[in-house]
Amino acid sequence: MLGTRRGRGKDLVERLLDSALGPVCAIILITGAGGMFGAVLRASGIGDALSDALDGIGLPVIVAAYVIATALRIAQGSATVALITAAGLVQPVVQSGAFNGVELAAIVLALAAGSVTASHVNDSGFWLVGRFMEMDVKTTLKTWTVMQTTIGLMGFAIASGIYALA
């Protein structure tokens, strides 16, 4: 009915819908997978163990958030999955603390900064940029990876400054 009213055939409408839904479905799948990965880690007790370990070594929550998100990003490549999973792992620490709104915002910024740090060969964005800009792997590492790491470090520095002033 949608295609026939305006003179478009059913096949054209199906092709338009299929091409529009593909990218959205991929994002939903990645986000859902990251959420599930974080839920599995929380259910396994890693979040609570991490909370206890952070208390034991005295690492500030904002630093731990950045380090965990960065480690996950480097290990598995997806910024979305790293952010969601790290947030799930840091959640018990944050819930057990008495953080004000500004401190919470700074912790979220640190998580986001860690999730974009060190994009490399296991990141689809790395390949997308490299191919689009017609760069070889070495050049993409020298440009894209360095830029993403700089963005992550600057984001963490800004988040840390906000956290310290709160």
Side-chain angles (χ1 to χ4, degrees):
M1 190 158 196
L2 178 66
T4 58
R5 283 194 172 179
R6 297 216 169 109
R8 294 183 181 132
K10 180 182 172 191
D11 292 338
L12 175 62
V13 172
E14 280 185 36
R15 280 196 312 269
L16 288 172
L17 288 174
D18 286 346
S19 67
L21 289 176
V24 172
C25 290
I27 292 168
I28 292 169
L29 179 65
I30 289 169
T31 305
M36 285 305 300
F37 185 48
V40 167
L41 291 175
R42 280 191 308 275
S44 70
I46 291 176
D48 294 330
L50 181 64
S51 175
D52 294 341
L54 293 176
D55 286 341
I57 49 179
L59 194 63
V61 174
I62 193 162
V63 175
Y66 177 78
V67 169
I68 293 166
T70 300
L72 287 167
R73 164 66 168 203
I74 291 168
Q76 53 76 39
S78 170
T80 306
V81 173
L83 177 60
I84 293 169
T85 305
L89 291 174
V90 173
Q91 180 185 3
V93 179
V94 172
Q95 284 181 330
S96 66
F99 299 101
N100 64 40
V102 175
E103 290 170 328
L104 290 174
I107 292 168
V108 170
L109 289 173
L111 285 163
S115 76
V116 298
T117 300
S119 170
H120 62 95
V121 295
N122 67 352
D123 176 21
S124 60
F126 175 90
W127 294 106
L128 180 71
V129 168
R131 302 293 167 147
F132 183 71
M133 302 301 284
E134 298 179 0
M135 296 185 288
D136 61 1
V137 173
K138 184 177 180 181
T139 304
T140 309
L141 284 167
K142 287 180 175 181
T143 56
W144 178 253
T145 302
V146 170
M147 182 198 65
Q148 287 291 103
T149 302
T150 303
I151 289 169
L153 290 170
M154 289 301 298
F156 177 64
I158 292 167
S160 296
I162 292 168
Y163 187 84
L165 294 174

